Amino acid sequence: MTDHNSTTCIFCAIIAGHAPASVVHRDDLCMAFMNLRPLHPGEFMVIPLQHIDHFTDLSDDLAAHIMVTGQRLGRWMMQVFAPKRVGYVVHGFGVAHAHLNVLPLRESSDIVSEKHIVQTDAGLRIAHEAVPLRSRSDLNADAAQFLRDQ
Ligand SMILES: [Zn+2]
C-alpha cells in the first residue's frame, strides 16, 4: 500500500474539498465524480477515500464496495444517458490513486485500447482481431499460474 503521494494527489485534494469535482456519490469509503474529459457525457469514476495507488492493493471489501457502487451508479447511467452498455475499466494510468472508470458505451470501440487500431487503405480502423489469439494451451498455462497457490 502506498500513500506517500497523498499530499500532492489531485484525487486526495478533491476528497478533502480543496479541488473542484462534480460529485455523484460519497459515503464513508468512496466517492464518485464525473470525468473531466469524457468520451461521452455521463462518464464518471469511483475512487477510494484512502489514497492507494494500485487497485490491486485495495482490500477485498473496499474493492467490492467500489465495484458495487459503480454498478449501482451504472444503473443510473443507463436510465439517464441511455448508452448501449455500461463499461468498467481500471487501467491505473493517469492519477496514481486507484479509480474505477465507468463508461457509457455507444459502440464497442468506446472501450478498446490503441492495440486495436489498425491502418488500412481507408485510414485507421478499430479491429478487435488486431490483437492476436492466444493458444488454448497458453491460456491454460496462464490460468494454472493463478490456480497454483490457491
Ligand atoms: Zn490520492
Side-chain angles (χ1 to χ4, degrees), residues 1-4 50-54 57-59:
M1 185 180 305
T2 57
D3 62 0
H4 58 279
Q50 183 181 6
H51 181 88
I52 299 171
D53 182 354
H54 294 260
D57 285 336
L58 303 182
S59 70

Side-chain angles (χ1 to χ4, degrees), residues 10-68:
I10 185 63
F11 286 177
C12 285
I14 289 172
I15 291 165
H18 298 146
S22 299
V23 178
V24 294
H25 174 84
R26 183 168 183 146
D27 58 36
D28 57 352
L29 295 175
C30 74
M31 69 183 299
F33 50 86
M34 306 311 290
N35 192 317
L36 285 179
R37 299 176 186 272
L39 192 58
H40 297 296
E43 181 177 323
F44 66 89
M45 63 183 70
V46 186
I47 68 171
L49 297 186
Q50 183 181 6
H51 181 88
I52 299 171
D53 182 354
H54 294 260
F55 199 89
T56 48
D57 285 336
L58 303 182
S59 70
D60 291 358
D61 287 346
L62 183 54
H65 180 76
I66 287 171
M67 290 301 298
V68 169

